[in-house]
Amino acid sequence: MKSLFSPRKAAVAMAVIAAFSLTACQAPAKKAEAPVAQTVKPVDTAVTQRVLGDGLYEMVYSQDSKGLFVASAQAFKDVNGGMIYRLDPATLATKGETHTDLKNFGAAIDEKGSVFYTTNSLDGAISKVDAQSGKVLQRLVFPGKISKEGYPAGAREVLWHGNELYVGRVADPGYISVVDTKTFKLKTEIKNAGKWVTGIIYSPVTERIYAANGSGEILVINPRTHKIEKRWTAGDGKEYLFLNMAEDPSTARLFVTDDSKGKVTLVFDEHTGKVIKRIEGDSLGIKFNAKRNEIYISQRESKKVLQLDATTYAVKNSWSFDQNPNSLLIGPDDNTLYVTLKAEFNKDSSTKGADSIARIALK
């Protein structure tokens, strides 16, 4: 997991979000001496998948334009800039493309769905994008120190909350850049946020912002004062590198993934800050679906996406892929799940093929 945050391996370092492709349907070979009936693995008609391009990461859906946008960093070897794809959410057909001079990773959309934001992790920047045209409207390059390798602190996850953007910075110590959405200027920084700020979400239950970090902490932040009020840990003496989060507001449960040190999803009680459940197994992306009372987890190492009952934590369904499932997005109807699938990296930072995107019709 160290390579995920190594300046030299910026592809993996700034992302922690990946891509995938379905397992090919193959018929087993017949035995020469016995002409037995050939069996074929059935095609899962609930899954639509297509190869899209290199370096796919996070997604947003715009209700305003009825488009599914995918942030792309493109290839990392000998390729400058990135892409923003606009897809038909039903067919995954490409409806538009924006070529950007910087690579795109994280993504968040405002409440109206008229504009969205994408982090340019390797350049320590964030871009504002029009959700109708796909045009980059503004860009903010954050000030800050440049490492001896020539990289700024990575801008990983972005959270839209009210008139502010919260951008997690991959540094040691990490920090959070707060941007005023009206002026699109840096408003303040939340410092001493542990090693590598990863996931960030807002809780309507506690009216606080939660930020995960590589030190195994969940930071509880007051958005009115921009102060860290509490630091939750698993409390079991083990090391964790927390990544992504999801919340069930009705039960005040916070779901936190660890795909590196812990290989587990921890469930925190937001009222006490204590861990109340461990879901064993590698876990990267995570989403909670209130309408269906389900949890979805992408397993990069196991090459699976899991569908869990949010009350019992039992696995209701799973989908296996040839590539590595990374980012997840629940569709506007709450009955659709989108997944980016990542190709494996070679030692020279090139990949073993293009990334894919999948659409799962939830049963």
Side-chain angles (χ1 to χ4, degrees), residues 283-302:
S283 58
L284 183 62
I286 188 164
K287 295 293 180 184
F288 171 75
N289 189 329
K291 180 180 177 180
R292 298 174 58 94
N293 190 41
E294 292 175 342
I295 303 166
Y296 313 110
I297 297 174
S298 63
Q299 295 187 301
R300 183 183 177 95
E301 184 178 313
S302 301

Side-chain angles (χ1 to χ4, degrees), residues 155-282:
R156 185 188 184 269
E157 199 75 2
V158 54
L159 166 72
W160 178 88
H161 175 62
N163 295 319
E164 293 179 331
L165 298 173
Y166 291 79
V167 183
R169 309 302 297 279
V170 181
D172 187 12
Y175 57 100
I176 300 169
S177 297
V178 183
V179 178
D180 186 318
T181 58
K182 293 182 178 180
T183 63
F184 209 57
K185 293 182 178 180
L186 181 64
K187 188 172 184 177
T188 188
E189 291 179 342
I190 302 171
K191 299 184 178 180
N192 299 315
K195 186 177 182 180
W196 308 323
V197 178
T198 51
I200 306 178
I201 67 171
Y202 173 75
S203 168
V205 176
T206 61
E207 297 183 338
R208 294 296 185 268
I209 288 170
Y210 301 133
N213 66 28
S215 302
E217 297 175 317
I218 301 299
L219 310 178
V220 182
I221 301 168
N222 188 324
R224 292 179 289 275
T225 64
H226 301 122
K227 301 294 184 183
I228 299 173
E229 296 180 333
K230 299 176 183 177
R231 295 173 183 264
W232 296 341
T233 65
D236 56 9
K238 298 179 181 180
E239 289 190 9
Y240 293 92
L241 198 167
F242 292 150
L243 290 179
N244 299 304
M245 295 176 288
E247 182 197 34
D248 176 5
S250 67
T251 59
R253 289 179 298 166
L254 182 69
F255 310 103
V256 185
T257 67
D258 182 338
D259 198 49
S260 176
K261 296 181 177 180
K263 298 292 183 184
V264 69
T265 300
L266 298 181
V267 184
F268 284 82
D269 181 332
E270 295 178 59
H271 296 308
T272 64
K274 304 296 184 182
V275 174
I276 57 175
K277 177 68 177 180
R278 293 176 60 94
I279 305 172
E280 301 295 339
D282 60 300

Side-chain angles (χ1 to χ4, degrees), residues 322-362:
D322 287 341
Q323 293 177 298
N324 306 115
N326 199 58
S327 298
L328 302 173
L329 178 70
I330 297 173
D333 62 356
D334 293 316
N335 292 317
T336 307
L337 183 68
Y338 299 97
V339 191
T340 53
L341 300 164
K342 302 292 290 178
E344 298 282 353
F345 279 97
N346 295 311
K347 291 183 179 180
D348 63 355
S349 294
S350 63
T351 58
K352 298 178 180 180
D355 293 350
S356 303
I357 185 166
R359 178 186 186 274
I360 302 173
L362 299 169

Side-chain angles (χ1 to χ4, degrees), residues 316-327:
K316 297 174 63 175
N317 203 350
S318 67
W319 298 272
S320 297
F321 299 95
D322 287 341
Q323 293 177 298
N324 306 115
N326 199 58
S327 298

Side-chain angles (χ1 to χ4, degrees), residues 44-84:
D44 189 342
T45 57
V47 179
T48 303
Q49 184 181 322
R50 63 164 293 203
V51 176
L52 183 58
D54 295 317
L56 304 184
Y57 288 97
E58 293 195 334
M59 303 163 284
V60 293
Y61 174 80
S62 169
Q63 189 66 44
D64 190 51
S65 66
K66 303 296 188 293
L68 175 67
F69 291 88
V70 185
S72 165
Q74 289 291 278
F76 292 96
K77 183 182 180 183
D78 303 324
V79 176
N80 294 309
M83 291 275 287
I84 297 171

